[in-house]
Amino acid sequence: METTRLESFSDGVLAVAITLLVLDLHVPDRTHGDLGHLLWNQWPNYAAYVVSFFVIGIIWVNHHAVFSHIARADRPLMFVNLMLLLSVVLIPFSTALFARYVRADTADAHIAGAVYGATMLAMSVGYASLWWWATREAGGLLHPHLDAVQARRTLRRFGAGLLAYAGTIGLAFISAPLTLGVHFLLAVYYAFNQLRVEGQQPAPGND
Amino acid sequence: METTRLESFSDGVLAVAITLLVLDLHVPDRTHGDLGHLLWNQWPNYAAYVVSFFVIGIIWVNHHAVFSHIARADRPLMFVNLMLLLSVVLIPFSTALFARYVRADTADAHIAGAVYGATMLAMSVGYASLWWWATREAGGLLHPHLDAVQARRTLRRFGAGLLAYAGTIGLAFISAPLTLGVHFLLAVYYAFNQLRVEGQQPAPGND
Amino acid sequence: METTRLESFSDGVLAVAITLLVLDLHVPDRTHGDLGHLLWNQWPNYAAYVVSFFVIGIIWVNHHAVFSHIARADRPLMFVNLMLLLSVVLIPFSTALFARYVRADTADAHIAGAVYGATMLAMSVGYASLWWWATREAGGLLHPHLDAVQARRTLRRFGAGLLAYAGTIGLAFISAPLTLGVHFLLAVYYAFNQLRVEGQQPAPGND
Amino acid sequence: METTRLESFSDGVLAVAITLLVLDLHVPDRTHGDLGHLLWNQWPNYAAYVVSFFVIGIIWVNHHAVFSHIARADRPLMFVNLMLLLSVVLIPFSTALFARYVRADTADAHIAGAVYGATMLAMSVGYASLWWWATREAGGLLHPHLDAVQARRTLRRFGAGLLAYAGTIGLAFISAPLTLGVHFLLAVYYAFNQLRVEGQQPAPGND
């Protein structure tokens, strides 16, 4: 099957999930103090909004990059993609939870940070599975001119991301705010670290 | 008419409905206890989220499969498709209702489970109607190379699904949590049970 | 300009607006009574959901039909289309307002019904403007093979719709529930009353 | 890379953001007075809805216009586009904040107006960056037949918009309601002020 509808459905889910992040920015109620102070007091929500916006944005950019290498979709690919989307749709929830508890003095901050990290770990497992299935040796789904063996080798890079995200779960038990910073840095890393698969000639219209 | 916009509108509705499921995961309020316990206490919401996510995901996968067999849309097809979407858009409501009441000791759990099952029954009636209209004998909408008689015979499989979903409504009055498990199994069944319609040659770009 | 992105943006807005209707179905709070009764008590919400779902659905079907006659978009068309969408996005609000107040004994029911009718009137003004601009005598936007003069004549039908929707505003002051029924009948009328513009030969791929 | 998915993802985000504006129109609670008066009392919400709807609508129209000049996307373009979308997704929040506080007698009205203006400033910085990157001298992304030097010159017009939006932040400290009016006029200006880049011949299918 062609990948057109798979991409357009994924674009839709990612677009809705990234826009729902705004629902965690609350209009403060005047009765609790002056507005400037109340807005300032919401800073974890803004910080979490920016980090999660870039995380979902970069998930989209890389989804785009991965699918520019994939020539056709089969049924398992659709389910692996659904599993990836299941974790992405959780991000607005994890973000709201993190923003609400990151300043707590108690263990609650650690738990909220760990849930945020676990969501990202699930997302990176989804990504690695997608690429693993698309580049498998027999019956892979890549454009025929691409070098499947070399493409497969890039899986190691996905493995590194997996370890990093697992690490942020542990880090959350040391410092929750620090975890948010590390998630931002990981997003920046994935922003630059473009998936490159070489082939004899570029796919028409994809390069 | 071409099916392009019908598919893209349906993709949009399915993408929004599947993402709205996250709105039923609530950020707990600290004043009621410790966060770990409060999050754990929400387990029916997570279970219902996962089941409904896969249900809508598989509705999308099968919508995709059905429309890869359909060559053109007529006006009745659009309305049958709207009826299918009407039931899909109810799923976030039924899911939230189910998650809220599944643990109730009273008849409320049975009612919530029955509403969830009824939503699924409506969805499967929508699906069967869509396929029934597309494969009708005169003026069917399938790709010309496909075997319409054989395609029509697959309607029986839709009929079985209908009976199964009707059964879950009754099951809800025995055990609501069990109903959720059966809905998960039905989703797994429809994940594997691909609609196969044979033809003399594959439609270009659809196989 | 091509109409591709105009159609895909409109599909997106219509898909989100139709799906947001589900947010007006509330999960009742157990503390107020038994669930069956509480769910039954929400019947105006279900009725309003079904009517508004079909209204937006038919807006989409007719948007699709209108744009299958339009060959190219200019800048004013985009703004007329935006005005149409502005009224469509109001529908989830008018629907929630209507469902909340339709049973009130006071003038509130009349006001809620009138707001619902006014939203539909605004929508039908948007539609008539769209068709009026696309079929204007000089520099019209229809496919060249279509008969612009005859297309223009169909404007009268849009005018009739306008009058009917204006009438529902008055009807709201007699009976709010009756108004909802009339809106349903109007939706059914527009479902059947397909825009037909004759031409010398069908546009390739659009008929 | 082609710009197809970049456009469809942006269409999705813009469509969701523009539709979420409706969530700031509240169904009043009858216990607080008569419905007509309560609805009338929400006028800042309607005014802010209309202004923000046209602002996002015109962002979409111009996004469409900008991308009809862009032949291909590179990775930095995707990130500049993400930064633009990050500010657009903030608009439903800024709109709700503005509508809630515009009538306050205190400094709160000024702050709410300034936040609204700052969101628009961020959006116009995003736009200017997008056009600046697409029209850069070496390796620009425009259709080859377009005059890149002349296109670059239109950046000055973006600069003027930037100054105007910065001005609305100051204006908010004089009169918050006046600021909303100015934002409406700015939207009207951008509605008429079409980006025109001349070339030797129109891009096929884009004019």
Side-chain angles (χ1 to χ4, degrees):
Chain A
M1 276 171 287
E2 286 188 332
T3 59
T4 325
R5 268 193 83 180
L6 185 56
E7 293 177 47
S8 94
F9 179 69
S10 305
D11 280 353
V13 172
L14 289 166
V16 182
I18 209 171
T19 314
L20 287 186
L21 289 173
V22 76
L23 298 185
D24 192 40
L25 303 183
H26 307 292
V27 174
D29 198 340
R30 208 172 6 181
T31 59
H32 294 118
D34 77 294
L35 186 58
H37 180 255
L38 288 170
L39 285 174
W40 173 254
N41 217 28
Q42 259 196 71
W43 68 260
N45 295 63
Y46 309 131
Y49 170 78
V50 169
V51 173
S52 291
F53 195 97
F54 275 110
V55 167
I56 301 185
I58 284 150
I59 290 170
W60 174 78
V61 170
N62 285 324
H63 197 269
H64 184 114
V66 161
F67 274 87
S68 73
H69 294 107
I70 295 181
R72 59 188 190 80
D74 57 8
R75 209 162 166 93
L77 189 79
M78 286 184 182
F79 287 100
V80 177
N81 190 59
L82 269 182
M83 281 176 63
L84 172 61
L85 293 178
L86 185 140
S87 63
V88 171
V89 169
L90 286 175
I91 293 178
F93 165 68
S94 304
T95 305
L97 187 75
F98 193 86
R100 172 80 177 76
Y101 286 101
V102 66
R103 283 179 299 186
D105 289 332
T106 59
D108 291 356
H110 304 318
I111 292 172
V115 169
Y116 192 85
T119 309
M120 297 305 165
L121 179 62
M123 178 272 287
S124 70
V125 170
Y127 246 119
S129 312
L130 193 71
W131 193 239
W132 168 81
W133 181 255
T135 61
R136 70 191 191 282
E137 262 167 81
L141 306 167
L142 296 188
H143 283 290
H145 71 275
L146 292 173
D147 180 346
V149 175
Q150 188 242 345
R152 188 105 214 192
R153 232 176 277 143
T154 57
L155 260 179
R156 279 180 301 195
R157 223 186 282 170
F158 285 95
L162 246 138
L163 283 179
Y165 281 120
T168 64
I169 301 180
L171 188 63
F173 288 95
I174 299 167
S175 162
L178 188 65
T179 314
L180 193 65
V182 171
H183 279 289
F184 185 73
L185 292 180
L186 279 168
V188 170
Y189 171 78
Y190 277 109
F192 281 98
N193 178 28
Q194 189 172 1
L195 188 74
R196 282 181 202 286
V197 181
E198 274 150 47
Q200 282 123 355
Q201 51 177 11
N206 278 320
D207 242 61
Chain B
M1 278 171 286
E2 286 188 332
T3 60
T4 325
R5 268 193 83 180
L6 186 56
E7 293 177 47
S8 94
F9 179 71
S10 305
D11 280 354
V13 171
L14 290 165
V16 181
I18 210 172
T19 315
L20 287 186
L21 290 172
V22 76
L23 298 185
D24 193 41
L25 303 182
H26 307 291
V27 174
D29 199 340
R30 209 172 5 182
T31 59
H32 294 117
D34 78 293
L35 185 58
H37 181 256
L38 288 171
L39 286 175
W40 173 255
N41 216 30
Q42 259 195 70
W43 68 260
N45 296 63
Y46 310 131
Y49 169 78
V50 169
V51 173
S52 291
F53 196 97
F54 275 110
V55 166
I56 301 185
I58 284 150
I59 290 170
W60 174 78
V61 170
N62 285 325
H63 197 268
H64 184 114
V66 161
F67 274 87
S68 73
H69 294 108
I70 293 181
R72 61 188 188 80
D74 56 10
R75 208 161 167 95
L77 189 79
M78 286 184 181
F79 287 100
V80 177
N81 190 58
L82 269 182
M83 281 177 62
L84 172 61
L85 294 179
L86 185 140
S87 64
V88 171
V89 169
L90 286 174
I91 293 177
F93 165 69
S94 305
T95 305
L97 187 76
F98 193 86
R100 172 79 176 74
Y101 285 101
V102 66
R103 283 178 300 186
D105 290 332
T106 60
D108 291 356
H110 304 317
I111 292 173
V115 169
Y116 193 84
T119 308
M120 298 304 166
L121 179 62
M123 179 272 288
S124 71
V125 169
Y127 247 120
S129 312
L130 192 72
W131 193 239
W132 168 81
W133 181 254
T135 61
R136 70 191 191 282
E137 261 166 84
L141 305 167
L142 297 188
H143 282 290
H145 71 274
L146 291 172
D147 180 345
V149 175
Q150 189 241 345
R152 187 106 215 193
R153 231 175 277 141
T154 57
L155 259 179
R156 278 181 299 196
R157 223 186 282 170
F158 285 95
L162 245 137
L163 283 180
Y165 282 120
T168 64
I169 300 180
L171 188 63
F173 289 95
I174 298 166
S175 162
L178 188 64
T179 314
L180 193 65
V182 171
H183 280 289
F184 185 73
L185 292 180
L186 279 168
V188 170
Y189 170 78
Y190 277 109
F192 281 98
N193 177 30
Q194 190 173 0
L195 188 73
R196 283 181 202 284
V197 181
E198 273 150 48
Q200 283 124 353
Q201 51 177 14
N206 279 319
D207 243 63
Chain C
M1 276 170 288
E2 287 188 332
T3 60
T4 324
R5 267 193 84 181
L6 185 57
E7 293 176 48
S8 95
F9 179 70
S10 305
D11 279 354
V13 171
L14 289 165
V16 181
I18 210 171
T19 314
L20 287 186
L21 290 172
V22 75
L23 298 184
D24 193 41
L25 304 181
H26 307 291
V27 174
D29 199 339
R30 206 171 9 181
T31 59
H32 295 118
D34 78 292
L35 185 57
H37 181 255
L38 289 171
L39 285 175
W40 173 256
N41 217 29
Q42 259 196 70
W43 67 260
N45 296 63
Y46 310 131
Y49 170 78
V50 169
V51 173
S52 291
F53 196 98
F54 275 111
V55 167
I56 301 185
I58 284 150
I59 290 171
W60 174 77
V61 170
N62 285 324
H63 196 270
H64 184 113
V66 161
F67 275 88
S68 73
H69 294 108
I70 294 181
R72 60 189 189 79
D74 56 9
R75 209 162 166 95
L77 190 80
M78 287 184 181
F79 288 99
V80 177
N81 190 58
L82 269 182
M83 280 176 61
L84 173 62
L85 294 178
L86 184 141
S87 63
V88 171
V89 169
L90 286 174
I91 293 178
F93 165 68
S94 304
T95 305
L97 187 76
F98 193 86
R100 174 79 176 76
Y101 286 101
V102 67
R103 283 178 298 186
D105 290 331
T106 61
D108 291 357
H110 304 318
I111 292 173
V115 169
Y116 193 84
T119 308
M120 296 305 165
L121 180 62
M123 179 271 286
S124 69
V125 170
Y127 247 121
S129 311
L130 193 72
W131 193 238
W132 168 81
W133 181 255
T135 61
R136 69 189 191 283
E137 262 167 81
L141 306 166
L142 297 188
H143 282 290
H145 71 274
L146 291 173
D147 180 345
V149 175
Q150 190 241 342
R152 188 105 213 193
R153 231 175 278 143
T154 57
L155 259 179
R156 279 180 299 196
R157 221 185 285 170
F158 284 95
L162 245 139
L163 283 179
Y165 281 121
T168 64
I169 301 181
L171 189 63
F173 288 95
I174 298 165
S175 163
L178 189 65
T179 314
L180 193 65
V182 171
H183 280 290
F184 185 73
L185 292 180
L186 279 168
V188 170
Y189 170 79
Y190 278 110
F192 280 98
N193 177 28
Q194 191 173 0
L195 189 73
R196 282 181 203 284
V197 181
E198 273 150 48
Q200 282 123 354
Q201 52 177 11
N206 279 320
D207 243 65
Chain D
M1 277 171 287
E2 287 189 331
T3 60
T4 324
R5 266 192 85 180
L6 185 57
E7 293 177 47
S8 94
F9 179 69
S10 304
D11 280 354
V13 172
L14 289 166
V16 182
I18 209 171
T19 314
L20 287 186
L21 290 172
V22 76
L23 297 184
D24 192 40
L25 303 181
H26 306 293
V27 175
D29 199 339
R30 207 170 8 178
T31 59
H32 294 118
D34 78 293
L35 185 58
H37 180 255
L38 288 171
L39 285 174
W40 173 255
N41 217 28
Q42 258 196 72
W43 68 259
N45 296 63
Y46 309 131
Y49 170 78
V50 170
V51 173
S52 291
F53 196 98
F54 275 110
V55 166
I56 301 185
I58 285 150
I59 290 171
W60 174 78
V61 170
N62 285 323
H63 196 269
H64 185 114
V66 160
F67 274 86
S68 73
H69 294 108
I70 294 182
R72 59 189 190 79
D74 57 8
R75 209 162 167 94
L77 190 79
M78 287 185 182
F79 287 101
V80 177
N81 190 58
L82 269 183
M83 280 176 62
L84 172 62
L85 294 178
L86 185 141
S87 63
V88 171
V89 170
L90 286 175
I91 292 178
F93 165 67
S94 304
T95 304
L97 187 74
F98 194 85
R100 172 81 177 75
Y101 286 101
V102 67
R103 282 179 299 186
D105 290 331
T106 60
D108 291 356
H110 304 319
I111 292 173
V115 169
Y116 193 84
T119 308
M120 296 305 164
L121 179 62
M123 179 272 286
S124 69
V125 169
Y127 247 120
S129 312
L130 193 71
W131 193 239
W132 169 80
W133 181 255
T135 61
R136 69 190 192 282
E137 262 168 80
L141 307 167
L142 297 188
H143 282 290
H145 71 273
L146 291 172
D147 180 345
V149 175
Q150 189 242 343
R152 188 104 213 193
R153 232 175 277 142
T154 57
L155 259 179
R156 279 181 298 194
R157 222 185 284 170
F158 285 95
L162 246 140
L163 283 180
Y165 281 121
T168 64
I169 301 180
L171 189 64
F173 288 96
I174 299 168
S175 162
L178 188 64
T179 314
L180 193 65
V182 171
H183 280 289
F184 185 73
L185 292 180
L186 279 168
V188 169
Y189 170 79
Y190 278 109
F192 281 98
N193 178 28
Q194 190 172 1
L195 189 73
R196 282 182 202 284
V197 181
E198 273 150 46
Q200 282 123 354
Q201 52 176 12
N206 278 321
D207 242 63

